Amino acid sequence: MTAATTQQPPVSRDPMVPRPFRVVASHLDTDDTVTLSLEPMGSDPLVFAPGQFTMLHAFGVGEVPISICGDPTRPDPLMHTIRDVGNVTHALVSAEVGAVVGVRGPYGTGWRPGDGVGGDLLMVAGGIGLAPLRPALLEVASRRDEYDRVVLLYGARSPADILFEDDLRRWADECRIEVAVTVDYAPPEWDGRVGPVTTLVGRAGFDPPRTLALVCGPEIMMTLTANALLGRGVAPHRMRLSMERNMKCGAGLCGHCQLREFFLCVDGPVLPYSQLAPLLDVREL
Amino acid sequence: MAEKSILDLCGLQGLIDALQGRGYAVLGPTVRDGAIVISEISTLDDLPRGVADEQDAGHYRLRERGDEALFGYAAPVQSAKPVFFPADEMLWRGRRGPEGGFTVEPAQPQPSPVALLGLRSCDLAALSVHDTVLTSRGLVDARYAARRADTFIVAVTCADPAGTCFCASMGTGPRPLAGYDIALTELLETEHRFLAEAGSPVGEDLLAELPPRAVTSDDTAAADDVVRTATARMGRVLRTDDMPEMLYAQARSPHWDEVAERCLACTNCTMVCPTCFCTTVEDVSDLSGDVDERHRVWDSCFSQEYSQLHTNFVRASTGARYRQWVTHKLAAWIDQFGTSGCVGCGRCITWCPAAIDITAEVDALRAASQQTAGGQHAQHH
Amino acid sequence: MRSITELLHDSPFFAGLPDPVLEQLAGCARTARFAEGQMLFSAGQPANDFYLVRHGRVAIELHNPSRGTITLDTVHDGDVVGWSWLVPPYLWTFDARAAADTSAVEFDGACLRGKCDADPALGYALMRRVSHVMYERLQAARVQMLDMYGAPM
Ligand SMILES: Cc1cc2nc3c(=O)[nH]c(=O)nc-3n(C[C@H](O)[C@H](O)[C@H](O)COP(=O)(O)OP(=O)(O)OC[C@H]3O[C@@H](n4cnc5c(N)ncnc54)[C@H](O)[C@@H]3O)c2cc1C
Ligand code: SF4
Ligand code: SF4
Ligand code: FES
């Protein structure tokens, strides 16, 4: 019996049911940030594009969106760098090796660094925002010759909060990526830069009209960076930002992540600044 | 072939029986606690015979019609939304296993097929909106899709719209347009009967099972008359030709805060709206903590936690939340789904404890936008 | 040895000013070297100078009895440092320490003020540049104050 009603919606796999993954490694990056390596239990590795995220579920606690931070060409184990800021993230960073977490995804749009091939690629990261950019950096490092200048500007709160120091060194020393790190506050023994990451934009070595800029960090950091990039002459549609909003599904179904016409979990999180600028200017949109 | 037919009261009961005979659970309007609600029915006696509703901003009351009409009222308290999209449903159950592990058992509802009798054209349009939102894009709400599969719809022309109705402005009524299996128009003059029109092969099939009675030109003329009168009596009007731009341009209007002074952020409007689809997810653990149920529950953009980021709320003010609601419904929805998110059912107006009226607020915003536009215009000369 | 005028000509801060103006400014300047750890100036001391960093790194520091010394800002090749010579009471508000061996051009603030007063066109050209840098530093300070990556409040 089939009733020909409005439409026959397709019956398919439920996007709200997670797959179990086992924690195979847990690395303490800083005093509040942990990188978890996860292996699927009886299912395929989760193939992803740089910039995409998953919904990570901690048993009995809840579920949150977390970007994938590993190498897109080696999705097994699946890596997430998580900062302990509340209930669910606390449960996740506390997960011990052997524990099981639920994974849904991958979701959202990616950075698509390849759109910058043939020109300069600039990445600007603030705080935990380096984690979502890491897959793009790994991809670019493996195809370094396809780009002209590749620049990473990274701002952290203090020297103790700097993530992925080994990567930063390797990218700079072996991959011809110009890496500039700055911190907002430092003890006197810090021999690097002090000042917000936005101050690095002014003199960084990239050619604005030929640059694709990928920006990730707190919203205020991203809008200030976009302003600084505008000042240097990078076109708004050549800047991409990764947006954070409350997300309950990741699948375009729960409504929470809406920013006017965008479902940031599906249309984003990565969107061109040309589309975001008019929306970010309006308070509480 | 029975594309059109006339059913008398007996024929209508025959329709219900035939649906039940085919294994459908038949849901239709019925009176409960002084309101019309959608519930399981089996005989014509379950329908609200001779009952009309009075609806206005913040006002709902049933009254006697003084006739025998079975469908002589406007939008029931809830649309068919909860039938396919329950306010609370379990997604999956997790059980803690050894060594920090857990297993996931997806909830698999095995819904029996539903027949909706007497669905209003606004609610029929809302169903199609929900189909688009929940099943037409990349990822599909699997439980909704399962419940929606094999639905049989007997829609009805709205003969007596309420003061809060504006489906005519939204192009969604009062006559059912598409997406039904059978559409009825109730005719009361001279003889109580229903013009039944099939909208699908299954609908035709079913009509063919009922005692045939030819449709006369008098019947069709009477039905057209019902539509004409109802359209003329629509209580409210909403202009939509300048959407989405008009509302987008009013994002900074002080009018949102003006509404916020009256709005209680009670979420009623979103709960009764047939197209609102926002949900959140909750964990329900048993006392041992070994079993954890994930539930999907209705949520509302009027609640504070809806936009939570840490201890901050993106839409902390009620004005921002009212703006989200109206802008999503009437503007962003068009960009997202190609249709308006409002079908003109008027429920949000009726059930607002502060009597806030979406049609009036949109008019006020438009008036403000024209003033600013006019002001700028003047400056150029 | 390159002349001070040449050094100014090549610096991002003074770039674009006509040579006669640069020569006038150079009249108030001399080159200076600071070994790593040496102070350029200290909070509370009379502020007479203004520096253009040629090579090296200068840390702007604040010493606070309860938090110890923290670095608020660092100044690098081509940057300028020191505003207190412009505003009464002409006293430094922070410490500036060479965080690496640093070469700089050091200007005499009183001399600069004198030239600006005598030649308003020169004064305006210089103040435009100074206010641009001050604006950027103020922005930076505000952003730092946000503690963007700090514990979510
Ligand atoms: C697309 C995307 C990618 C992200 N990637 C990372 C990542 O790689 N690493 C990382 O550490 N964090 C990431 N976050 C932020 C992370 O989702 C939040 O820190 C997390 O939701 C906080 O949940 P909680 O229960 O621990 O905190 P609580 O403060 O208890 O959370 C309260 C509520 O607010 C929501 N919430 C709080 N902060 C955020 C936030 N920043 N973004 C969205 N929702 C929030 C929570 O989901 C929850 O609903 C990402 C967020 C998004 C949207
Ligand atoms: S917004 Fe109001 S009138 Fe429009 S569909 Fe929703 S409840 Fe009905
Ligand atoms: S109006 Fe609000 S509750 Fe309704 S669908 Fe839109 S965001 Fe969700
Ligand atoms: S997170 Fe649910 S719709 Fe985007």
Side-chain angles (χ1 to χ4, degrees):
Chain A
M1 177 186 64
T2 46
T5 50
T6 331
Q7 297 154 316
Q8 281 302 310
V11 181
S12 69
R13 209 190 110 77
D14 187 342
M16 293 301 284
V17 176
R19 290 206 262 148
F21 276 60
R22 195 174 287 287
V23 178
V24 292
S26 167
H27 176 262
L28 189 68
D29 298 303
T30 71
D31 66 359
D32 64 1
T33 303
V34 163
T35 297
L36 291 184
S37 305
L38 307 173
E39 268 176 9
M41 295 168 70
S43 58
D44 294 334
L46 187 142
V47 176
F48 69 96
Q52 285 196 299
F53 68 96
T54 66
M55 296 296 291
L56 282 191
H57 179 78
F59 186 83
V61 187
E63 194 180 43
V64 289
I66 302 287
S67 301
I68 305 167
C69 75
D71 184 342
T73 61
R74 287 183 304 161
D76 197 10
L78 184 66
M79 317 263 286
H80 295 83
T81 299
I82 305 159
R83 181 160 177 227
D84 180 359
V85 296
N87 277 342
V88 179
T89 48
H90 183 72
L92 289 170
V93 301
S94 313
E96 286 170 14
V97 170
V100 178
V101 297
V103 178
R104 300 193 288 115
Y107 296 126
T109 53
W111 294 111
R112 297 194 293 129
D115 294 347
V117 162
D120 294 350
L121 187 68
L122 170 70
M123 285 167 273
V124 188
I128 187 82
L130 184 57
L133 275 172
R134 188 170 175 270
L137 277 149
L138 293 171
E139 182 180 307
V140 170
S142 72
R143 319 167 68 112
R144 178 64 189 84
D145 290 342
E146 297 175 12
Y147 301 84
D148 258 346
R149 278 170 291 188
V150 178
V151 179
L152 168 65
L153 310 178
Y154 171 40
R157 186 172 191 241
S158 77
D161 295 304
I162 293 174
L163 293 170
F164 313 135
E165 289 195 275
D166 294 343
D167 287 327
L168 294 172
R169 215 167 296 123
R170 195 173 60 82
W171 291 330
D173 294 347
E174 297 170 20
C175 310
R176 286 182 293 119
I177 296 179
E178 212 177 288
V179 177
V181 178
T182 182
V183 298
D184 277 0
Y185 299 96
E189 52 278 15
W190 165 246
D191 65 357
R193 276 185 173 267
V194 178
V197 68
T198 44
T199 56
L200 298 181
V201 171
R203 299 227 187 123
F206 58 89
D207 181 24
R210 302 176 54 247
T211 295
L212 176 70
L214 312 177
V215 187
C216 192
E219 189 165 314
I220 176 74
M221 168 266 168
M222 292 195 292
T223 49
L224 291 167
T225 301
N227 258 329
L229 290 171
L230 275 181
R232 289 248 353 228
V234 180
H237 72 275
R238 298 282 288 167
M239 303 176 200
R240 294 178 187 162
L241 276 50
S242 182
M243 295 297 299
E244 267 187 358
R245 284 293 182 273
N246 193 300
M247 295 187 176
K248 292 297 177 201
C249 73
L253 296 170
C254 79
H256 279 253
C257 64
Q258 287 175 90
L259 181 61
R260 210 174 70 183
E261 69 269 36
F262 297 119
F263 286 94
L264 290 175
C265 67
V266 175
D267 307 315
V270 179
L271 279 167
Y273 186 62
S274 49
Q275 295 193 300
L276 290 168
L279 307 180
L280 299 184
D281 283 351
V282 182
R283 269 194 202 191
E284 295 190 50
L285 200 66
Chain B
M1 280 288 280
E3 282 169 7
K4 276 188 188 181
S5 173
I6 290 290
L7 304 178
D8 57 13
L9 289 171
C10 227
L12 188 61
Q13 180 63 53
L15 177 61
I16 297 175
D17 296 341
L19 287 168
Q20 285 178 332
R22 289 187 173 204
Y24 289 106
V26 181
L27 304 183
T30 193
V31 173
R32 190 179 296 156
D33 301 330
I36 290 166
V37 297
I38 294 178
S39 175
E40 185 138 6
I41 56 155
S42 54
T43 75
L44 296 189
D45 292 340
D46 296 327
L47 298 175
R49 189 187 294 258
V51 175
D53 52 11
E54 275 172 15
Q55 300 194 37
D56 208 333
H59 175 80
Y60 181 96
R61 200 168 66 88
L62 296 186
R63 63 172 170 80
E64 297 283 331
R65 290 179 57 89
D67 63 20
E68 292 290 299
L70 297 177
F71 300 105
Y73 40 82
V77 178
Q78 275 287 3
S79 67
K81 174 164 94 168
V83 175
F84 307 109
F85 192 68
D88 180 339
E89 72 174 333
M90 190 173 90
L91 298 172
W92 53 273
R93 185 184 285 116
R95 274 179 215 284
R96 206 184 282 282
E99 299 164 35
F102 70 92
T103 54
V104 171
E105 305 158 15
Q108 253 143 11
Q110 303 275 322
S112 58
V114 165
L116 289 167
L117 175 72
L119 195 68
R120 308 275 132 182
S121 56
C122 58
D123 290 347
L124 181 65
L127 209 50
S128 140
V129 169
H130 253 199
D131 288 346
T132 305
V133 171
L134 298 172
T135 70
S136 79
R137 297 178 297 149
L139 291 165
V140 167
D141 181 329
R143 278 173 207 79
Y144 175 86
R147 288 201 180 83
R148 266 297 271 129
D150 305 326
T151 310
F152 192 100
I153 292 174
V154 183
V156 67
T157 301
C158 245
D160 201 354
T164 45
C165 291
F166 55 101
C167 66
S169 331
M170 303 310 292
T172 55
R175 184 172 229 159
L177 299 172
Y180 54 81
D181 296 290
I182 295 176
L184 302 176
T185 305
E186 185 171 31
L187 305 172
L188 292 165
E189 292 304 312
T190 62
E191 184 205 349
H192 195 177
R193 65 200 189 283
F194 301 87
L195 171 64
E197 294 165 86
S200 72
V202 213
E204 269 180 39
D205 252 27
L206 207 113
L207 274 190
E209 277 180 26
L210 302 174
R213 180 170 152 189
V215 177
T216 68
S217 59
D218 279 359
D219 296 327
T220 35
D224 290 347
D225 216 40
V226 167
V227 174
R228 225 180 347 263
T229 325
T231 308
R233 297 216 334 251
M234 235 14 81
R236 278 170 165 76
V237 174
L238 183 69
R239 202 185 126 190
T240 58
D241 59 317
D242 52 1
M243 305 293 179
E245 290 78 11
M246 192 283 279
L247 281 175
Y248 286 175
Q250 290 308 301
R252 290 185 175 82
S253 168
H255 191 71
W256 303 113
D257 291 330
E258 197 276 305
V259 181
E261 284 170 21
R262 292 172 276 139
C263 174
L264 310 173
C266 69
T267 78
N268 268 14
C269 49
T270 51
M271 296 296 120
V272 294
C273 178
T275 65
C276 273
F277 58 86
C278 285
T279 56
T280 189
V281 193
E282 287 174 358
D283 282 69
V284 185
S285 294
D286 72 350
L287 284 179
S288 68
D290 290 339
V291 179
D292 175 34
E293 287 184 358
R294 291 285 281 170
H295 285 247
R296 190 212 61 186
V297 297
W298 285 1
D299 200 355
S300 166
C301 57
F302 277 95
S303 87
Q304 193 169 51
E305 296 73 23
Y306 179 89
S307 64
Q308 183 169 13
L309 291 182
H310 300 300
T311 53
N312 190 42
F313 306 97
V314 175
R315 296 183 202 101
S317 72
T318 304
R321 291 182 235 158
Y322 187 72
R323 175 181 62 196
Q324 165 62 22
W325 181 62
V326 171
T327 308
H328 185 214
K329 282 278 105 152
L330 299 175
W333 211 292
I334 298 172
D335 279 336
Q336 292 171 339
F337 305 112
T339 65
S340 177
C342 175
V343 296
C345 73
R347 288 185 178 90
C348 55
I349 307 172
T350 301
W351 297 102
C352 176
I356 295 170
D357 176 346
I358 189 170
T359 64
E361 302 310 339
V362 168
D363 284 346
L365 284 155
R366 183 179 292 109
S369 84
Q370 281 159 354
Q371 261 174 19
T372 23
Q376 277 166 7
H377 198 65
Q379 276 171 13
H380 287 298
H381 293 273
Chain C
M1 245 322 265
R2 300 169 65 212
S3 74
I4 291 186
T5 310
E6 280 169 340
L7 293 176
L8 299 188
H9 186 274
D10 294 345
S11 76
F13 181 80
F14 293 103
L17 287 178
D19 280 352
V21 173
L22 292 180
E23 267 156 35
Q24 285 212 54
L25 295 173
C28 293
R30 61 192 173 86
T31 57
R33 287 186 177 280
F34 300 92
E36 180 176 340
Q38 202 182 337
M39 304 302 286
L40 279 73
F41 50 78
S42 303
Q45 298 300 303
N48 286 325
D49 309 305
F50 166 61
Y51 301 90
L52 166 67
V53 175
R54 294 173 56 203
H55 299 293
R57 184 160 44 92
V58 176
I60 309 299
E61 296 177 341
L62 175 69
H63 187 83
N64 174 308
S66 59
R67 292 177 65 186
T69 303
I70 51 170
T71 306
L72 299 171
D73 193 6
T74 52
V75 179
H76 302 260
D77 298 8
D79 291 338
V80 291
V81 59
W83 315 114
S84 300
W85 60 276
L86 262 171
V87 203
Y90 311 117
L91 295 175
W92 296 117
T93 42
F94 296 112
D95 296 338
R97 186 177 54 83
D101 290 348
T102 297
S103 60
V105 177
E106 183 179 301
F107 293 88
D108 176 340
C111 170
L112 279 182
R113 283 202 304 268
K115 295 218 165 146
C116 293
D117 289 344
D119 180 352
L122 181 149
Y124 179 63
L126 187 64
M127 284 314 130
R128 275 189 65 163
R129 284 169 155 70
V130 167
S131 54
H132 184 84
V133 178
M134 284 176 96
Y135 167 81
E136 286 186 338
R137 296 282 165 80
L138 176 65
Q139 291 289 86
R142 282 183 175 153
V143 173
Q144 268 170 303
M145 228 167 59
L146 288 174
D147 195 13
M148 296 187 294
Y149 323 118
M153 289 169 297

